Amino acid sequence: EDSDAVVGALLDLEKLMRKKNKEDEQQMQKTLEALSGNGGGSWRLIFTTGTVNTQERTGRINYFPIKATQSFNAGEDPWLIENGLFAGDFPLVKFKGDFTWMASQKSGVTKIEFDFSSLKLFNTFEIKLGAGEAASLGAKSGLGSEGNVELEKKGRKAFFNWISADEAIATARGGGGGLALWKRVDYEGGK
């Protein structure tokens, strides 16, 4: 699909879902359930505009060329989030941490706040991360928003405003203002 058409569709969906969330509080819970699945849910990044800063520097990223996944499990305590970048099916880097879910019926926004507590390189070397260290690494590598570092300084966490999630796709706006589209894949949590 044409990337401008995809962005237009994501923007339209964002408006529609905020309206639905305001009208039906259960819609917000359905989004969380779809994201985390029964015992966990995994999503492969298909399309992203990148953060607003990245768009200003390099233009939109659009279709994401490598395998990048996010996994959520609201059945764990605390709730678990894992992000990974892969060469084929081999994990190059995986981040693991916890997330919280917030929903505001007044604004219609559903949000996940998260922080990563460990980083695993090449599925072998695990490095423990202190609070906010992942935000700094993300900003330096370009994988995360520079705004996440500022949030951490204010005692807040990185976040996604979830637009939608169902049995096949999930959409969100990141803390850096970019839009993203994922497709559901087999759950990869705990690997």
Side-chain angles (χ1 to χ4, degrees), residues 12-167:
D12 289 345
L13 180 61
E14 183 176 38
K15 288 177 193 168
L16 174 68
M17 291 308 295
R18 281 193 180 185
K19 182 179 179 192
K20 277 186 164 185
N21 289 342
K22 288 178 186 180
E23 294 169 356
D24 179 8
E25 188 175 345
Q26 293 303 310
Q27 181 60 49
M28 294 182 275
Q29 186 62 28
K30 290 176 188 173
T31 300
L32 171 61
E33 290 169 4
L35 275 176
S36 65
N38 184 10
S42 290
W43 303 88
R44 180 173 177 171
L45 183 63
I46 300 299
F47 180 93
T48 182
T49 61
T51 66
V52 170
N53 288 342
T54 300
Q55 290 177 52
E56 289 171 357
R57 285 193 307 263
T58 63
R60 286 189 192 145
I61 295 171
N62 295 321
Y63 292 94
F64 204 71
I66 63 172
K67 183 178 177 183
T69 64
Q70 283 194 311
S71 299
F72 302 94
N73 189 340
E76 297 286 327
D77 186 19
W79 291 354
L80 177 68
I81 181 173
E82 292 181 297
N83 284 9
L85 290 173
F86 297 78
D89 287 332
F90 182 76
L92 300 173
V93 62
K94 289 183 96 173
F95 290 89
K96 188 175 187 177
D98 61 82
F99 76 94
T100 56
W101 175 259
M102 291 169 280
S104 168
Q105 191 169 11
K106 183 177 180 180
S107 68
V109 171
T110 54
K111 180 188 284 190
I112 284 180
E113 286 189 347
F114 60 93
D115 194 14
F116 295 112
S117 55
S118 67
L119 160 72
K120 196 173 209 179
L121 298 171
F122 308 112
N123 213 29
T124 304
F125 306 105
E126 188 162 357
I127 301 165
K128 297 294 179 192
L129 300 173
E133 283 187 272
S136 178
L137 286 170
K140 288 175 185 172
S141 68
L143 295 174
S145 168
E146 293 168 9
N148 292 340
V149 175
E150 296 305 313
L151 286 172
E152 184 60 37
K153 289 178 185 175
K154 296 174 185 174
R156 296 173 54 205
K157 294 181 177 183
F159 68 92
F160 281 103
N161 287 334
W162 285 95
I163 297 169
S164 67
D166 63 22
E167 66 281 347

